[in-house]
Amino acid sequence: MARSRKSHVIVALLVMLISIELSINVMGQAQGGNNNGNDNGNNNTGDNNGNSNGNNNTGDNNGNNNGNNNTGSNNGNGNGNNNSGSNNGNGNGNNNGGSNNGNGNGNNNGGSNNGNGNGNGNGNGNSNPSPNSNPNPSPSPTKPTKPTKPTKPTKPPGYAASTHYDVLTPLGSGRERALCQARGKCNKKTLTCPEECPTRKPKNNKKKKGCYVDCSSKCEVTCKFRRPNCNGYGSLCYDPRFVGGDGVMFYFHGAKDGNFAIVSDENLHINAHFIGTRPQGRTRDFTWVQALSVMFDTHTLVIGAKRVSQWNDGVDALTVSWDGESIQIPTNGEAEWRADSSLSKRQVVLERTDDYNSVRVTVAGLVQMDIKVKPIGKEENKIHNYQIPKGDSFAHLETQFKFLDLSDSVEGVLGKTYRPGYVSPVKIGVPMPMMGGEDKYKTTSLYSPLFRRPNCNGYGSLCYDPRFVGGDGVMFYFHGAKGGNFAIVSDKNLQINAHFIGTRPQGRTRDFTWVQALSVMFDTHTLVIGAKRVAQWNDDIDALIVSWDSESIQIPTEGEAEWRADSSLTKRQVVLERTDDYNSVRVVVAGLLEIDIKVKPIGKKENIVHNYQIPNGDSFAHLETQFKFFNLSDSVEGVLGQTYRPGYVSPVKVGVPMPMMGGEDKYQTTSLYSPLCKFCRFQRPSMFEEVAKF
């Protein structure tokens, strides 16, 4: 009986040892730490980690299904190999460093506190508030939280989900492949070009379609001709015929030798130069677009058609210039010309899409244009009775635009058709539905971003939560203070003050502010332009208020739509001219300055995106303004004025998202009408005392 009992004990011990050995084999070898999950690999250390992680990992509180050789703690699930750093999110790639990064980032990235969905090989530093940054906290390692919708800008210049991919080695058949890096269902999927269009850039665009890789939610490859579709959205062809962003076709004839704003937005302006002819007996010109000027950041790209007496398909009639310098697009190899914007580092690519006279223009993150140079043929001339003069083929552009980042308030002949809720005023169903607006969109030259409204990215602009672009071209912010008045320009014969309105949401350390009124002081006069307080904004109701020497004035809405006066001291002329039916005005004080002003509200979307927390019952109507000065001295002062001094060097930190300009104490005035501040220079030409009250 005792021997039997001993045998049972030995068997039990053997079973226990086998169980322990099996347990060790399942959990991995040399595993350190406590409370870790199941099916993890070998040589891991740390406590409270999840399940199915790889080998040689260290750190605590990490998630599930991570790779090998990772270090750091509190990381999420499904990350790759050889990563370091802590508090990172889920689904990141390999060989990344740094901490507190988001989800779905690529490989070989460095730095910390970056956002979600970044590509490969980035090196943002710690706590870098670049467009890749994300203010959302890192997700919990055990229950990842869904990130809130980020505020703009969330993506680097040039980001587009459709083209966010890495080019892979082609198949043996020559079919090109791409690995999608965009977030969403297409992430990490390989798309292969079909046999019908095996390459993205076919050498002969006339006969072959190109492979278009789309890594957005469509997640597809399609075959397309890379030339303008004159019946597609965003097209501008023929005797100018447009198809708007709303899909409505219309004609806009402009004028022979005129220049018109086709698109004008916060970060993009496109002008068109029209050529034309007017046969005897006609009441209008026949016109075509001969050149386009694309203005963004600090650059101007011009694409045009040469004047050609006798057309030849085998001779290039395409002309291109970059910042005033003529450039040549190669005809061999990739047949591309590339540049980077000096301000935003966005890439600019011009690529030939045929041997001659066809080009694709891409300004990363802003616009893509397919352009073809075409002549007026003999048959076309005869059918339409253009009566083209001999010795000129009237070479012109056929163009199709694809816009990537237009705002809701975009302007221009074509641009406005992309606004949300836009309703076309043209008469649909007639053979030639006409779009007016020549007076609204005419510019002084092909290179001018001014069509009688402020260009908020141009020199001398003052817009938004006050953002300036100085006379030196440097952008900066000056927040002032809610209810404060500040000298914008102060010179010996001119003073311009601004009245700031604002709000301070709970928990913030500074005000959100906007310019509600401007006071322009010169000679013995004071001109004030302001925005009324409006509870509910309506584009068709005037919120513009103007006073001249404390007397309210009304600018006519008909005829010349102008108000005029002469300075009693110098006889200089003052003109206020409406530049739209409501809420827009151009101010000219002869010999001193020109101001384009537009009254704008804070829209619902803008309020949400920036978290302004605008109170109910106030649309915070404010001014967007651009100044042009004619006679400033070398010692001019003021928040904006100082930037026009010869040799001025801006003290702001260039390259950061919000470069701040100080000087509130230097330029604060006691009222909107006072020319007095610590650094102000303006003096009335006599013992004149302004008593007006705004």
Side-chain angles (χ1 to χ4, degrees):
M1 191 69 173
R3 183 175 294 176
S4 175
R5 233 182 245 145
K6 187 183 284 187
S7 298
H8 284 100
V9 170
I10 292 170
V11 169
L13 286 170
L14 286 172
V15 169
M16 192 178 356
L17 288 170
I18 291 169
S19 299
I20 291 170
E21 185 175 358
L22 287 172
S23 177
I24 290 171
N25 286 334
V26 169
M27 292 179 63
Q29 298 171 4
Q31 186 93 290
N34 305 307
N35 303 312
N36 295 303
N38 304 314
D39 299 315
N40 293 304
N42 303 316
N43 304 309
N44 298 308
T45 63
D47 303 325
N48 303 306
N49 295 301
N51 306 313
S52 301
N53 295 302
N55 305 313
N56 305 308
N57 298 305
T58 63
D60 305 326
N61 303 307
N62 296 301
N64 308 312
N65 301 303
N66 295 302
N68 305 314
N69 306 307
N70 298 304
T71 63
S73 305
N74 303 306
N75 296 301
N77 307 311
N79 296 301
N81 306 314
N82 305 308
N83 297 304
S84 63
S86 305
N87 304 306
N88 297 301
N90 308 310
N92 296 302
N94 306 314
N95 306 307
N96 298 305
S99 305
N100 304 305
N101 297 302
N103 308 312
N105 297 301
N107 308 315
N108 306 305
N109 298 303
S112 303
N113 301 306
N114 297 302
N116 307 315
N118 297 304
N120 304 318
N122 297 306
N124 293 314
N126 299 329
S127 304
N128 183 10
S130 70
N132 286 339
S133 65
N134 187 344
N136 300 317
S138 301
S140 166
T142 55
K143 189 178 180 181
T145 57
K146 185 178 180 181
T148 58
K149 188 176 180 180
T151 59
K152 285 187 176 181
T154 60
K155 302 167 184 174
Y159 178 89
S162 59
T163 57
H164 191 193
Y165 57 79
D166 295 331
V167 178
L168 302 177
T169 305
L171 297 176
S173 62
R175 291 164 62 188
E176 294 184 353
R177 301 183 302 151
L179 177 63
C180 290
Q181 301 293 353
R183 284 171 287 174
K185 69 177 185 180
C186 214
N187 181 252
K188 303 301 180 186
K189 287 190 177 181
T190 298
L191 300 181
T192 304
C193 294
E195 292 180 358
E196 295 83 357
C197 53
T199 61
R200 292 171 300 121
K201 299 178 182 179
K203 297 301 180 185
N204 189 338
N205 191 59
K206 276 187 175 180
K207 297 178 181 178
K208 294 182 181 178
K209 293 182 179 181
C211 173
Y212 179 72
V213 178
D214 188 344
C215 286
S216 69
S217 57
K218 291 183 178 179
C219 200
E220 63 181 11
V221 288
T222 51
C223 297
K224 294 182 180 181
F225 286 114
R226 297 184 304 149
R227 61 190 181 202
N229 172 12
C230 288
N231 292 310
Y233 292 94
S235 58
L236 195 180
C237 301
Y238 316 135
D239 175 12
R241 194 194 79 169
F242 294 74
V243 178
D246 56 350
V248 175
M249 182 270 285
F250 63 90
Y251 287 80
F252 175 87
H253 291 304
K256 173 186 174 182
D257 298 323
N259 301 285
F260 298 90
I262 302 304
V263 175
S264 187
D265 205 10
E266 297 168 357
N267 53 6
L268 176 68
H269 188 98
I270 302 174
N271 284 348
H273 177 73
F274 285 41
I275 55 173
T277 181
R278 183 180 294 193
Q280 191 172 3
R282 281 190 60 85
T283 57
R284 74 158 183 88
D285 299 327
F286 286 120
T287 52
W288 298 268
V289 170
Q290 180 266 335
L292 294 168
S293 175
V294 183
M295 290 165 267
F296 60 96
D297 297 342
T298 58
H299 302 289
T300 300
L301 173 67
V302 177
I303 307 101
K306 294 178 186 176
R307 178 169 177 166
V308 180
S309 57
Q310 188 70 34
W311 183 260
N312 185 335
D313 282 328
V315 177
D316 211 18
L318 186 73
T319 62
V320 184
S321 70
W322 170 255
D323 293 341
E325 297 289 331
S326 178
I327 62 173
Q328 300 297 321
I329 307 172
T331 55
N332 298 320
E334 291 293 315
E336 290 180 352
W337 178 92
R338 291 174 175 264
D340 289 327
S341 168
S342 57
L343 183 66
S344 64
K345 305 303 180 188
R346 70 174 81 246
Q347 195 170 68
V348 181
V349 182
L350 280 76
E351 174 200 351
R352 288 192 184 273
T353 51
D354 206 347
D355 293 335
Y356 307 102
N357 299 310
S358 289
V359 67
R360 170 168 285 184
V361 178
T362 303
V363 180
L366 290 180
V367 65
Q368 180 179 284
M369 305 155 57
D370 284 302
I371 300 174
K372 187 171 181 64
V373 182
K374 292 285 294 286
I376 300 297
K378 290 182 179 180
E379 185 177 352
E380 187 180 359
N381 183 29
K382 185 177 180 180
I383 290 173
H384 294 284
N385 192 29
Y386 289 145
Q387 300 181 36
I388 299 296
K390 291 182 178 180
D392 193 345
S393 64
F394 271 68
H396 60 281
L397 305 182
E398 291 185 351
T399 308
Q400 186 175 19
F401 300 90
K402 182 181 179 181
F403 301 105
L404 305 176
D405 190 28
L406 294 179
S407 75
D408 291 350
S409 56
V410 59
E411 270 287 358
V413 178
L414 176 63
K416 64 183 177 182
T417 68
Y418 285 82
R419 290 187 205 147
Y422 174 79
V423 178
S424 178
V426 305
K427 191 173 182 180
I428 298 173
V430 299
M432 291 188 72
M434 299 300 300
M435 178 76 78
E438 284 86 351
D439 58 331
K440 289 174 62 175
Y441 298 122
K442 189 169 185 178
T443 66
T444 54
S445 77
L446 179 62
Y447 312 100
S448 172
L450 299 177
F451 63 99
R452 307 199 309 168
R453 81 161 210 173
N455 170 16
C456 288
N457 290 309
Y459 293 92
S461 58
L462 194 181
C463 301
Y464 318 134
D465 176 9
R467 195 195 78 171
F468 294 73
V469 178
D472 56 350
V474 175
M475 181 268 285
F476 63 90
Y477 288 79
F478 175 87
H479 292 304
K482 171 185 175 182
N485 301 282
F486 298 89
I488 303 303
V489 175
S490 186
D491 207 9
K492 58 185 179 181
N493 57 0
L494 175 68
Q495 172 104 4
I496 303 173
N497 288 351
H499 177 72
F500 285 41
I501 56 173
T503 181
R504 183 180 294 191
Q506 190 173 2
R508 280 190 61 84
T509 57
R510 72 158 185 89
D511 299 328
F512 286 120
T513 52
W514 299 269
V515 171
Q516 182 262 338
L518 293 169
S519 174
V520 183
M521 291 167 266
F522 61 96
D523 299 342
T524 59
H525 302 287
T526 301
L527 172 67
V528 177
I529 307 101
K532 294 178 186 176
R533 179 170 178 167
V534 180
Q536 188 71 32
W537 182 260
N538 186 331
D539 283 326
D540 296 328
I541 296 178
D542 212 17
L544 186 73
I545 52 176
V546 185
S547 70
W548 172 253
D549 293 341
S550 77
E551 293 291 330
S552 177
I553 61 173
Q554 299 297 319
I555 307 172
T557 55
E558 298 178 347
E560 293 294 316
E562 290 180 351
W563 179 91
R564 291 174 175 265
D566 290 327
S567 168
S568 57
L569 184 67
T570 60
K571 304 303 179 187
R572 71 171 84 244
Q573 196 170 65
V574 181
V575 181
L576 280 75
E577 174 195 0
R578 287 192 183 272
T579 52
D580 205 346
D581 293 336
Y582 308 101
N583 299 311
S584 290
V585 66
R586 170 168 285 181
V587 178
V588 179
V589 180
L592 286 181
L593 83 160
E594 187 178 277
I595 320 174
D596 283 299
I597 300 173
K598 186 172 181 64
V599 181
K600 292 285 294 288
I602 300 297
K604 289 182 180 178
K605 182 178 178 181
E606 187 179 0
N607 185 29
I608 293 171
V609 167
H610 295 285
N611 193 29
Y612 289 145
Q613 300 181 35
I614 298 298
N616 292 330
D618 193 344
S619 63
F620 271 67
H622 60 281
L623 306 182
E624 290 187 350
T625 308
Q626 187 174 21
F627 301 90
K628 183 178 180 180
F629 302 104
F630 299 118
N631 192 27
L632 294 178
S633 74
D634 291 350
S635 54
V636 60
E637 275 288 357
V639 178
L640 176 64
Q642 62 184 333
T643 68
Y644 284 83
R645 290 188 209 142
Y648 174 79
V649 178
S650 179
V652 304
K653 191 173 183 180
V654 179
V656 299
M658 290 188 72
M660 298 300 301
M661 177 77 77
E664 284 85 351
D665 58 331
K666 291 168 59 176
Y667 297 122
Q668 186 160 16
T669 65
T670 55
S671 77
L672 180 62
Y673 313 97
S674 171
L676 302 178
C677 71
K678 288 182 180 179
F679 281 71
C680 287
R681 300 188 65 248
F682 178 72
Q683 291 184 341
R684 296 286 186 185
S686 64
M687 297 301 292
F688 177 86
E689 185 175 345
E690 176 64 59
V691 294
K693 290 186 177 180
F694 183 74

